[in-house]
Amino acid sequence: MTTVLYDELRDRIKAEEPVALATVIDGPHRGAKLLVAPDGPIGGTLGDTDLDRVVGRDAQAELEAARSGVRNYGPQGQTTPEDLEGSPIVRVYVESYAPPPQMWIFGAVDFTAALARVAKVLGYRVAVIDAREIFATRRRFRCSRNGARRSRRATRCASSPTTRSSTCRRCGGRSARPSATSA
């Protein structure tokens, strides 16, 4: 049973899907696990259906906030101090695996490289997008997830001639119309 949970957890983390693993660390059923996705519990049990329901709800909230932490419950999922009085405490560790946030930076100008480096340090997945091939290079933006990219729509020059091999009269450069295979 635990192997199946870990396989599902591994697959969801690899697919960069948000998932949380709740584990009883103290109290009855120590070591029991519950795997939770944003749409609800996936598998496993903590020993009581009410406890599973309450922990699943709280794990979804922790997952949405991208936080991990320890939470205290009663054996049947009680959460208020009055309900917990005189009953054993079940301590559950909720471990969230949320994909990193993304930052898209449009325009490969001078300060973009510095912004991309800082964003990477802060845990963002960075993508730099620019229509100008000479500026949007993987060499300039190594910390970007896939390097810099040219935008297909943004590369088209409004006054460029219709033939691909001619020079644009407005900007003086070659026609920037992307081919179907360009990135």
Side-chain angles (χ1 to χ4, degrees):
M1 176 84 167
T2 307
T3 306
V4 175
L5 284 178
Y6 284 126
D7 290 343
E8 181 71 23
L9 177 65
R10 181 199 62 222
D11 294 343
R12 287 185 179 258
I13 291 172
K14 278 186 177 181
E16 294 187 351
E17 296 174 11
V19 65
L21 181 65
T23 306
V24 176
I25 58 173
D26 192 21
H29 306 287
R30 185 182 305 188
K33 299 184 182 311
L34 179 69
L35 194 61
V36 181
D39 55 346
I42 299 170
T45 183
L46 301 178
D48 184 80
T49 56
D50 290 331
L51 182 61
D52 290 348
R53 180 182 52 78
V54 173
V55 171
R57 179 198 65 205
D58 291 348
Q60 286 174 318
E62 293 285 332
L63 186 57
E64 179 135 347
R67 290 186 311 225
S68 297
V70 177
R71 303 189 64 110
N72 297 315
Y73 302 96
Q76 284 81 38
Q78 303 93 327
T79 56
T80 60
E82 298 84 26
D83 293 339
L84 293 174
E85 195 171 308
S87 66
I89 301 291
V90 178
R91 297 185 71 210
V92 178
Y93 178 64
V94 177
E95 192 171 6
S96 296
Y97 297 94
Q102 295 183 6
M103 179 182 287
W104 293 10
I105 304 171
F106 293 91
V109 294
D110 295 337
F111 62 88
T112 300
L115 177 61
R117 279 192 300 273
V118 169
K120 190 72 171 180
V121 167
L122 292 174
Y124 283 86
R125 179 168 294 143
V126 179
V128 176
I129 302 151
D130 197 308
R132 303 164 296 179
E133 280 186 70
I134 196 163
F135 294 116
T137 63
R138 293 185 193 279
R139 188 170 154 235
R140 285 186 72 199
F141 300 101
R142 289 190 185 118
C143 64
S144 178
R145 179 180 184 199
N146 295 318
R149 293 183 181 198
R150 286 187 323 138
S151 168
R152 288 182 188 208
R153 231 172 242 190
T155 57
R156 188 174 301 233
C157 180
S159 65
S160 63
T162 56
T163 60
R164 199 171 269 291
S165 61
S166 50
T167 303
C168 175
R169 282 174 253 138
R170 176 181 250 174
C171 65
R174 294 191 59 78
S175 176
R177 265 189 230 131
S179 64
T181 59
S182 68

